Amino acid sequence: MNEQRQSFNLSAWALTHQSLVLYLIVILSVAGILAYTQLGQKEDPEFTFKAMVVRSFWPGASAAEVEQQVTDKLEEALQGIPEVDFTKSYSRSGEALITVMLKESIRGKEVNDVWYQVRKRINDAKGKMPPGVVGPFFNDEFGETYGSLYAFTRDGFSDAELKKYVENVRTELLRIPDINKATLIAPQDEKIYVEYRSAKLATLGITPLQINQVLAATNTVTPAGVVEGAEERVFLRVSGEFDAIAAIKATPITVNGKTFRVNDVADVYRASLNPAETRMYYQGQPAIGLGISMRKGGNVLKMGEQIDAVLHQAKQNLPVGIEIQAVSDQPAVVKSAVHIFMKSLLEAVVIVLAVSFLALGFRMGIVVALSIPLVLALTFLCMKIFNLELQRISLGALVIALGLLVDDAIIAVEMMALKLEQGWDRFSAATFAYSSTAFPMLTGTLITAAGFLPVGLAKSNAGEYTFSIFAVVGIALIMSWIVAVLFTPYMGYHLLPENLKEHPHDAHGGKFYTAFRRWVTWCITWRKTTIALTLGAFVLSVILFAIAVPKQFFPASSRPELMVDLWLPYTASFNATEQEVKKIEAILMQDPDVASVTSYVGVGSPRYYMPLDEQMPNLNFGQLTVMTKDEHVRENVYKRVKQLFDTDFPNVRGRVTRLENGPPVGYPVQFRVIGADQRELKKIANDVAHLMRQNPNLRQVHTDWGEQVKVLRLDVNQDKLRAAGLTSQQLAQSLQMAVSGVTATALREDNLQIEVISRLAPDERTRLDYLANLPIPLPSGSSVPLSQLAKIKLESEESIIWHRNRVPALTVRADVIGKAQAPDVSNALWPKMQEIQAKLPVGYHIEAGGTVEASKISQDSIAAVMPLMLIVVMTLLMIQLQSIQRMIMVLLTAPLGMIGVTIALLLFQAPFGFVATLGVIALSGMIMRNSVILMDQIEQDIHHGSAPWDAVIDSAVRRFRPIMLTALAAILAMIPLTRDTFWGPMAIAIMGGLFVATILTLLFLPALYAAWFKLKPAQSV
């Protein structure tokens, strides 16, 4: 014992510097509490969207022309950028949109450099664009999340008046330091319309072009000169710019010696854009949204308080009739989520304390109990230092870590108590654990942490999303070892009595230990049978896991919102889409389980929730955010909405989804058909869709290529056109001016410019039968009907053309029904898809997309790191065991967890997803930690003179309590997580796997050791 005092020992150092240790305990606890109060809080972890949207416009061009002349040239420019994973694009009438997706291995800091290269190449390609192309425009903030989203509704006010009030509130909100952006959603821009009748203009001899020219020439700002005096300068200003509608109406037009005013020949009025392009409703009332995003590293709760203060003041200043409604209140969501997880954490603490007190007794339990808040305080302090925030992943990781961080403290306290029972003094007993188990404990701790290494190093979107599991658990485990060897001996020294020598009998001689000793003896005696049974159970579990356990990528979110999508035919007008949206909105507002309904027409909801699958603007698209009253009634509303689409909306392709967790995927089951010829693609896609419709687990099977759209093609008689003094370009401009309207000038009002648009009156421009008689102005001042210059034919063309990596790609998509999991459905269909692919012409192939593709990318990123994890674990084992044979034996216990994982998942009918995968990998580290402890005990007993046969049996019996106790603490601490949708499958997998593997470790490892070294009873060393 004196030798124990004299050799260097960290625990001994702590006991010889008790004042300093007490000071460190107090100061670090206070620092941890302060760090916790300053940790950033979010709903989801920071996540870099590695996507850029490049959008171009070519008014008047068909989808095929846009594809060939715009999209293809831009995609060609992007080829060869090594960081680009793939490009996907669509071409439709007048518009090209390319989404550039980077490789998931690209880290956030590198993304901006790649976007610079993309911009550079696209700008270099501008010279190849045909005349008339507008853009390209770049959006590399596609992943901006407007977590705080508000709807401003109006009653008795115009859209323009409402917009001014919203902009005033926005200005005030932007003064808050933590706000990054405050963006208006679906604002209704004002226009001034000059609408004329063709017959009246023809009678007066006025052409629409003349009206536009006069308006533009009058409303101009042109320098009139500066008078340079001897001592000062005086600028000359010429009036004429429009400052009101009255000025536009009174603008004179002189034609053939006659002067008219604009309001003599046209109706002039001010209104919102008509027809509208986007519109937002809240509870059926017209609204303008205000989306607020937080700057990186901001405090969401503090920002929320400041937003509430600004909005409270704004509500007092707003007139009656304008109200502010919260669509998404991220600070409230985060506060609630953190509260729920902290409650789970507290429950886990209580469970671990109960295990400690019941298994160790009151005094020893107190020592373990005091170590928990200390480890948590140190963990919070390190999280603050490394900028780790409290969010869904890190909070779940804390609960996982809680069951593991008491392991070292339990081992240290139990060892101290054992030595006190043997008559040692408190100093020697408190420091013995360090000399005997500190480094095996450190090895076990590092091995457990290494089990989470694939999470930390996985180069994928899912890996980035779940990174804080590795960071938080790793920090907590390291801190737990430091507390166990530095602070726990100090607390045990003062709290455990020195006279614990109350049990002169063998501590492991009770009935239970006698029975367990017989079990271990039987296992090593019948070692081949034990190994064979274990191996058989493992093989059976792997087979059952493959065929019976449902697979998924990420589970659905537990948030109460539902997203309802409505797609009309591509030719549908904005008004037609709006009517369908209003129809389903009215039904949902009457649902007793629905709290509120926010509707969007022509555009989808802004990204108010990070994993939201944001939709691009489309006139034939509508989306509703349905806020149900809670997660439980959400499922009832979900079923009712699906029923509505099946029975009441024949002209709509409707979809209702829960919010996702993890990186957004979109439709869960997707198969892409890729090839050059569009007709062949459609033929193959029909075969793919037919197979998918035969699967009973799929619904709403469709393709992302819309139906063909109707177009009126004008076959121009060029001879007659030239005889009339016109060109095809001038004819197209006349038609555009008459039917859709053109911007003649702009009214400058305060800091706004309101476009002045001239066009035909509504009853003329909206009638197809009037088109043939539409008068086309001639340079001579007269006009001729359109039918004299061109033949009008009704044709059809592609509404939209999709590309992937510059090649036409047609995706067949579907949702799953009921409890079916998308990866299972996709994997079941894939062999049949391969049969179709085998018959395809050269250059055509089928790819699996959706969740099975995203899951594979994530699994591959994990697999790529597994060799490194294995090397780290093997190195740690070799440092500790100094034996290749013993290292291999420990490694062979790692897969045993699969037996319990399969049993638990099947028993609770829990799906196996990406998060559960991470748990199973980490489980191997927990199992090997227990194996190291048992193996080290065997080697110590043999070193101290025990026969190997007896050493194996005695070690298994002696290490039963600490191994089972630490495993039980880890298992029971995860009970609160089983209620959580996101963490539930992972918690169930770890609980089942660790329970079974711990028992097998105490039985299988002794049998394996005896078989490996061919041990016999009473064999000498």
Side-chain angles (χ1 to χ4, degrees), residues 276-407:
E277 293 178 349
T278 62
R279 174 66 84 174
M280 177 181 179
Y281 292 92
Y282 180 84
Q283 288 294 86
Q285 291 183 287
I288 293 178
L290 183 61
I292 301 169
S293 66
M294 186 176 70
R295 67 171 176 83
K296 189 172 183 179
N299 187 319
V300 69
L301 297 183
K302 181 180 177 183
M303 183 187 77
E305 292 172 357
Q306 294 171 331
I307 290 174
D308 290 342
V310 171
L311 293 183
H312 177 73
Q313 183 64 39
K315 287 177 181 178
Q316 293 180 338
N317 297 330
L318 289 175
V320 176
I322 295 181
E323 296 183 358
I324 305 175
Q325 308 289 347
V327 176
S328 173
D329 188 353
Q330 189 184 40
V333 171
V334 170
K335 190 174 182 179
S336 173
V338 170
H339 173 73
I340 291 171
F341 265 102
M342 292 310 293
K343 181 182 175 184
S344 297
L345 187 63
L346 184 60
E347 290 174 0
V349 169
V350 172
I351 290 171
V352 172
L353 289 179
V355 171
S356 302
F357 283 120
L358 290 174
L360 300 173
F362 180 76
R363 290 289 189 102
M364 293 167 65
I366 283 290
V367 177
V368 173
L370 290 175
S371 71
I372 293 175
L374 187 54
V375 175
L376 287 176
L378 290 172
T379 302
F380 289 138
L381 183 60
C382 292
M383 288 176 67
K384 178 63 178 175
I385 293 170
F386 295 111
N387 294 319
L388 295 170
E389 298 170 314
L390 292 176
Q391 26 77 4
R392 182 195 313 277
I393 306 300
S394 62
L395 286 167
L398 281 171
V399 179
I400 294 171
L402 188 65
L404 303 173
L405 58 82
V406 295
D407 290 5

Side-chain angles (χ1 to χ4, degrees), residues 120 206 231 255 344 506 533 542 556 614 711 743 849:
K120 183 174 178 295
I206 300 174
E231 297 182 357
V255 178
S344 297
D506 184 2
L533 287 173
V542 171
E614 190 174 0
V711 294
T743 302

